[in-house]
Structures are given as structure tokens and as C-alpha cells.
Amino acid sequence: MSSYNSIEKIKYTDNLSDAVSLDEYIVFGDERREEKYIVFKFFNNVNQKLLGMKFEVSQYDMHDNLIEKSVVIYNNFLAKPNSSFVPKAKLKAMYACKRISVKLVQAAFDRVLWNEGEYIDNTYKFEHYARDEKYIDEVERPKQEPPAPQKKKESRDDRERFRSKDITKKNVAVFPKVFFWITSILLVIAIGVTVWLFPKYSKKFTLSGYDLELMADNNVRIYGYEGDEDALVVPKEIEGYQVVTIGSGAFQYLSVQSITLPDTVTTIESGAFRNLKNLKRVKCASESVTVQSWAFRDITSLTVFDMVGARLEKNCFYGCSNLSEVTFAQTDVAKFVDLFGTETHTVKTTPNGKYKGEQEEFFEGVKFR
């Protein structure tokens, strides 16, 4: 069991005009395993129970460069009105992350749906947030002079107005029961329509366990996966979307032993397969796929790389010390060892692929078992 040896607690105040705001977040860092996790503390600004929400998290490195942007969805939980809460789930972050920003996209309450700054159900409006009630009472409302002596009938009217004010203070928005059922039905319909339309109009979404980013012509980029199988076979299409790119961090930290990619893949980005401690074989039948630098970094268990159409960039196998069978299409590196970031490397069979220069020069530093 790993212990977190670096904990950073950061006070953070988001836009209080949002239905849900971020009060603070805590970063847990494990330097030995090069892992980071983030735990959030939010505040429900609305006088209703919060049922679920969706928000964007942008991660920045020490130079304030954007390194990861993702959509987080918390479903099936309940937060009390006008109170802070900490979701049980924690977000796995990039190890290079030094700062984050959070943008609320959608929040579902028991009687209304908040979507990018607007309430979808127009039959129900908030005059203000219950969290601001005390402030409004003390600052915005004008001070009144002591009431002058009045007749008995007027005094009764005053008591009625006071009683109405007290109810309003306890329930910032009150409406008849019939509207409760109407808005409940509309909320269910709105959520259903949102779930159905979300993959069509959002660039990032999750289908069949894959985190996807929509690209041109109905193509998608995989940037995350939640499966736990030993032999992973990535499909050509995921519910109608064609897989063309394996993005950075797509298959990191999995326990998978072999991965087979579809022949539709054209790009494997840097860091796509990092920290896979059990991966032994990877295969792709694509006729042309670019394998970027650091794509398979430090996978010491990897022994077989079989991609007949692969175009290999420098250091794409950096730290893969046991990779001994390599099939590829071509590479522009001067020496085979440049793919590994070392001066020597041992292989089982002669690497199969086209390269520049003479064979003797290209395989300089390569040892055959």
C-alpha cells in the first residue's frame, strides 16, 4: 500500500454566481509512483438538494501550460441545500499538474436543471441564492424607522406580512405542489434529452468505458479507459464513432498484458501507454500509424511490438529495456538505439522496417541474443 508523501491543500473560490462553486481542493502526490489525485470540496449555492453535476477540469504545469482538460461527471449522490460537500470519488491527475481550474457545466437539482449558467425549466426561477440571504437582509434591504402607533386592524396586517416574510426566508422559492410534479416530470425529460444529445454536441464524452474526444468526420480520440481485462482489443468503432487516435494517457496505469489496436488508428500520442507495468505485447494492423516520442515510455515488461505500418519517432520506446521483437514500417532516426534513448540495446530478432543510412551504421550498438 502506497502512502502519499506530498499533500497540498489549496483554498480556491470559484464564481459564486454558479449553482455549485468550488471552495477548495486537496492534491495528494505520490513521488515514488509518480501519481497525483485531487479531492474536491464544493458548495451547493441553491436552496434545493443537488442530485448530480458535470464540470470541466483544466490542469496546468509549473510553467502554466495546459497539459490536460477533462470532463468530470458525478452521478447518483445527494448534497444538502446551501451546504458544502465532498464527493467520494477522487480525480486522477497528471503528475506534472501544479494548478487546476474548474468550470461548472451542468448541475441537476430535485426540481430544476442548471446548464451553463441558465436554468432549463423556465417555470421556476430563483430571486437569489439562499446562501446570500443574510447578506441581502443586512446590506441591501433599507433600514426602516420604528413603526408608529397604528390601529388594531393595521397591526394584524403587519403580523401577516411578517409571517409571509419569515416563510420566504426559510424557503427562498415556494410554489404549489402541482408545480412540483410538473417540474419533476420536465426535469426527468430534460435529463434524458441531455444524456441523449450530450455525445452528439459535446467534444468530450464517455462511451462503453472509453473517454472520447470528437474530431472531424465522426472520428474520435481515446484519452482514457476504465477496463481491467488482461487482453484488450480496441474496436474500430465505438457506438458509431471511428477510432483514429490514441491520446496521451489513454491506457496509463492499466494492468493489461496485451493490447491490439484497430487498423483505423493513425496516431499514437506521446504518453499514451505510460506506466503499464504488465504490458508484454502490442499490435496494430494499420497501414500507416505515427508513434510519437515517449509513447511507450518506461514499459520494462514490453517484449513484442508488432505494427507493420508504424512510423517511429525518436525515443518512442524510451526505457523499454526488454523490447526484443520490433516490426515497423519506417523511421527517420539515425540509429536504432535512438528509439530507446540509450547507446546499446539487446534484441531477439532483427528489427523489420525501413530506415535511412547503411545497415551497419543503423544497427550500431544493437546486440542480438
Side-chain angles (χ1 to χ4, degrees), residues 31-48:
E31 296 180 358
R32 183 175 64 84
R33 299 183 62 182
E34 293 190 351
E35 294 181 348
K36 277 189 177 180
Y37 293 90
I38 301 175
V39 175
F40 299 95
K41 180 181 179 182
F42 294 96
F43 196 99
N44 178 8
N45 294 306
V46 177
N47 192 32
Q48 294 188 29

Side-chain angles (χ1 to χ4, degrees), residues 333-350:
V333 299
K335 297 180 180 180
F336 183 74
V337 291
D338 291 340
L339 299 173
F340 298 84
T342 60
E343 295 181 358
T344 61
H345 188 76
T346 302
V347 296
K348 184 177 179 180
T349 59
T350 302

